[in-house]
Amino acid sequence: MATTHTRSAARLMMAPSVILLFAWMIVPLGMTIYFSFLRYNLLMPGMEEFTGFLNYQFFLSDPAFFAALSNTLLLVLGVLLITVIGGIAFALLLDQPMFGQGIVRILVIAPFFVMPTVSALVWKNMFMNPVNGLFAWIARSLGFAPIDFLATIPLLSVIIIVAWQWLPFATLIMLTALQSLDEEQKEAAEMDGAGFVSRFIYIVLPHMARAITVVILIETIFLLSVFAEILVTTNGGPGTESTNLTYLVYAQALLQFDIGGASAGGIVAVILANIVAIFLVRLIGKNLEA
Amino acid sequence: MARKVSTKRKLVMTAIAWTLGFLIFFPILWTFLTSFKSEGDAIASPPVFLFFHWTTENYTEVQSRSDYVLHFWNSVIMSVGSTLLGLLIAIPSAWAMAFSPTKRTKDVLMWMLSTKMMPPVGALIPVYLIFRDMGLLDSRIGLVIVLTLINLPIIVWMLYTYFKEIPGEILEAARMDGASLAKEIVYVLTPMAIPGIASTLLLNIILAWNEAFWTLNLTTSRAAPLTTFIASYSSPEGLFYAKLSAASTMAIAPILILGWFSQKQLVRGLTFGAVK
């Protein structure tokens, strides 16, 4: 149906979004790369000079970088572990016949719509606060000493908060996949004498494999850049115990005004994310053809 | 065929699911309840759940202390503004890609998706400096531009998957019957495309409303949306639990309601059509 006329019209219609996105991707990235080779501090304007790979050398040998890198990975893996397993469990549960399924579903999905700053502050103050928080009250009523979550286990606290926000997403995707599973297939297996466990391992899990991969990859993209939850709860502290790469770059740029060093950090973060992105693009690309 | 399930089993499942669902939802419920307490009741130990003196003074306090309405409007303007602007840019391209695909259409789509994967810190510093030099820091216009750009790939993708479901033959039939391009768009295409556009609109308003990297870094006061405004409660002021709760409840209520209506589209939009 496409004639040369409609084809050139199509190209014209695509131009705005392609040009805008191209500019949005290439201009800031190019500038970040350029800054990363400069000695550039906002407190010393006019002193910029080319320093080669010095910024990278400093950034990569900074102990804070290793802390941030391992925190980033722990945060991503921790949240993934909780949300994927929890998501599958919830999806299986919600798929069972019950009363008021729609309402339970709504309750479970709700946290996804809470803005990050709200969920972080609600958890920080009303649940994890060692004096007035609900957890402290529960601990005291059970006869334990309350835990000062954000001071003693800051990274785990952030993981709990972020996992609470992402569990609904995982549940929703898994449930959608689960509901597309043919009921008769399960019944046939059941009649052949397959128990719950073998039905789960040989029928349900393979059917959900794709949804699980999608959840893992998409969450990873977002979790690599967790920011607001750290900013309003721990500010990356104590020390660098809950600093991830995103927060480290932010602190270096907008709190210490070290543009060169922060840019080098930004580029490192981009490279890390790209490694993940390659897998995601492959996966979704495959789907597009099907 | 539907199997017969024993009522007992159904009741047990119901009990488990409701309990777990309630636990997951509890932080939101607790925030809602606390927003109606006095500050004293909010930190009472043992905590009071329902039997306290209900008051709405926190809501009026939050407004009179910090001009809550301004930040609320900033959020509305930014999320709706960036979504509409995004749709304006994305509809023609998604349309072109769905109905006049070329060999490179798939690559273009993939490339758009990949821009979404760039971590925001890779762009933060230049964008911050450019905005500072152009006076766009803490401005609604600046934020609308950034939010439009970061959500554009999702908008294009979602529209593309919806448009692709419209059979091209219908349009051809209309053309054969002598419909002009304008008529084709107004009478044939629009009615079929509206549901997809509406879902895209809804999901993107939600995403833009809750966006908390660029909003926190690019706004401070005048143009601050609710994400930034609530973040200001991380100071000792956050220890006023009842007021924090009132501000939070108002910030999440509208989007929670929109969100409940868009569960299905959410799956599709966030997985770029990989799970439907």
Side-chain angles (χ1 to χ4, degrees):
Chain A
M1 104 182 205
T3 58
T4 28
H5 179 70
T6 56
R7 205 167 280 164
S8 62
R11 214 164 285 159
L12 204 66
M13 282 154 82
M14 274 167 66
S17 59
V18 170
I19 292 169
L20 279 173
L21 275 177
F22 187 73
W24 170 245
M25 187 178 76
I26 215 70
V27 174
L29 191 63
M31 285 174 77
T32 307
I33 294 174
Y34 172 67
F35 290 153
S36 73
F37 292 112
L38 293 183
R39 199 183 69 158
Y40 182 3
N41 193 304
L42 286 182
L43 297 179
M44 299 182 286
M47 301 272 285
E48 297 87 32
E49 56 182 36
F50 187 74
T51 58
F53 284 92
L54 208 59
N55 285 322
Y56 288 93
Q57 210 176 318
F58 277 128
F59 188 83
L60 293 174
S61 62
D62 186 351
F65 165 69
F66 289 104
L69 185 65
S70 75
N71 287 339
T72 307
L73 297 178
L74 283 175
L75 180 63
V76 172
L77 291 177
V79 175
L80 278 180
L81 199 71
I82 299 173
T83 54
V84 170
I85 295 176
I88 294 175
F90 260 111
L92 284 174
L93 180 65
L94 286 177
D95 199 35
Q96 306 294 320
M98 69 175 72
F99 300 104
Q101 195 175 35
I103 297 171
V104 180
R105 203 177 136 121
I106 280 177
L107 293 180
V108 173
I109 288 164
F112 192 75
F113 302 112
V114 177
M115 56 175 66
T117 44
V118 165
S119 55
L121 279 179
V122 164
W123 278 89
K124 173 193 179 184
N125 290 323
M126 288 156 62
F127 288 88
M128 292 174 168
N129 185 297
V131 182
N132 297 323
L134 266 189
F135 290 159
W137 173 72
I138 293 171
R140 273 197 306 269
S141 359
L142 295 175
F144 298 106
I147 309 168
D148 188 351
F149 282 87
L150 294 170
T152 50
I153 42 167
L155 188 62
L156 186 62
S157 306
V158 174
I159 289 177
I160 294 171
I161 298 172
V162 177
W164 179 72
Q165 290 179 289
W166 283 94
L167 183 63
F169 171 77
T171 308
L172 198 59
I173 307 261
M174 307 284 188
L175 187 61
T176 310
L178 202 58
Q179 283 171 343
S180 68
L181 177 62
D182 192 3
E183 215 28 60
E184 286 175 14
Q185 210 178 347
K186 270 193 288 184
E187 268 176 54
E190 211 178 337
M191 288 213 272
D192 287 344
F196 177 79
V197 176
S198 44
R199 259 181 296 153
F200 177 71
I201 292 176
Y202 295 109
I203 296 179
V204 178
L205 217 48
H207 179 78
M208 289 171 78
R210 175 190 182 76
I212 295 171
T213 328
V214 169
V215 167
I216 290 175
L217 290 171
I218 288 174
E219 280 195 15
T220 308
I221 297 290
F222 282 95
L223 295 175
L224 281 172
S225 300
V226 166
F227 173 73
E229 292 84 347
I230 295 175
L231 179 76
V232 299
T233 52
T234 63
N235 265 313
T240 52
E241 275 183 59
S242 59
T243 300
N244 68 352
L245 267 181
T246 303
Y247 192 83
L248 184 66
V249 173
Y250 154 82
Q252 207 151 16
L254 300 186
L255 302 181
Q256 296 161 27
F257 306 109
D258 177 8
I259 297 300
S263 298
I267 296 304
V268 172
V270 170
I271 292 170
L272 194 69
N274 265 300
I275 297 170
V276 180
I278 288 168
F279 289 103
L280 183 58
V281 168
R282 288 244 169 103
L283 183 92
I284 295 178
K286 224 181 269 169
N287 176 57
L288 195 65
E289 261 165 331
Chain B
M1 293 297 103
R3 273 173 295 174
K4 246 192 132 146
V5 181
S6 72
T7 318
K8 195 181 154 204
R9 184 185 144 94
K10 206 169 166 182
L11 279 173
V12 172
M13 284 301 165
T14 306
I16 298 173
W18 276 83
T19 310
L20 288 174
F22 178 77
L23 282 179
I24 293 284
F25 187 72
F26 184 74
I28 298 171
L29 179 68
W30 188 239
T31 309
F32 178 75
L33 289 177
T34 306
S35 73
F36 292 105
K37 293 175 185 173
S38 65
E39 290 295 350
D41 281 340
I43 56 168
S45 180
V48 279
F49 284 88
L50 286 172
F51 304 105
F52 53 84
H53 177 67
W54 288 65
T55 167
T56 52
E57 67 178 13
N58 298 308
Y59 288 89
T60 46
E61 267 298 275
V62 166
Q63 167 58 21
S64 66
R65 273 197 195 179
S66 49
D67 200 359
Y68 183 89
V69 173
L70 171 78
H71 302 297
F72 187 84
W73 274 116
N74 284 339
S75 271
V76 171
I77 289 168
M78 281 169 7
S79 53
V80 176
S82 69
T83 304
L84 290 180
L85 190 61
L87 282 174
L88 204 66
I89 302 166
I91 288 176
S93 15
W95 167 247
M97 285 193 259
F99 292 108
S100 181
T102 62
K103 267 177 286 171
R104 268 175 300 156
T105 299
K106 200 189 137 195
D107 296 331
V108 173
L109 275 168
M110 277 303 145
W111 166 76
M112 284 187 171
L113 188 61
S114 70
T115 64
K116 185 74 197 147
M117 292 168 199
M118 189 168 89
V121 281
L124 170 67
I125 295 155
V127 171
Y128 187 87
L129 295 177
I130 293 171
F131 271 36
R132 185 195 60 177
D133 294 343
M134 292 176 68
L136 286 174
L137 282 181
D138 202 19
S139 76
R140 289 168 177 173
I141 297 172
L143 216 49
V144 167
I145 294 171
V146 168
L147 290 177
T148 303
L149 288 168
I150 62 166
N151 283 332
L152 193 56
I154 295 189
I155 300 182
V156 173
W157 259 91
M158 274 188 82
L159 289 175
Y160 171 77
T161 61
Y162 282 114
F163 285 171
K164 244 191 123 54
E165 283 170 9
I166 300 174
E169 290 80 10
I170 293 185
L171 298 182
E172 268 177 62
R175 213 171 300 159
M176 299 277 245
D177 289 343
S180 64
L181 185 67
K183 278 193 176 153
E184 193 184 309
I185 289 175
V186 174
Y187 294 112
V188 185
L189 186 75
T190 312
M192 283 193 289
I194 287 281
I197 295 175
S199 317
T200 312
L201 181 98
L202 210 58
L203 177 65
N204 275 278
I205 288 176
I206 295 171
L207 290 179
W209 184 279
N210 287 341
E211 204 287 327
F213 180 81
W214 293 103
T215 50
L216 284 173
N217 278 309
L218 298 180
T219 63
T220 47
S221 54
R222 231 169 3 97
L226 290 169
T227 43
T228 311
F229 168 67
I230 300 283
S232 70
Y233 277 81
S234 64
S235 64
E237 179 150 16
L239 295 174
F240 294 104
Y241 289 5
K243 281 173 201 69
L244 168 68
S245 298
S248 299
T249 302
M250 286 190 282
I252 62 177
I255 232 60
L256 205 56
I257 293 161
L258 277 187
W260 282 335
F261 283 114
S262 64
Q263 293 173 32
K264 283 240 170 64
Q265 293 83 314
L266 187 83
V267 173
R268 186 170 174 157
L270 286 174
T271 60
F272 302 96
V275 175
K276 275 185 222 169

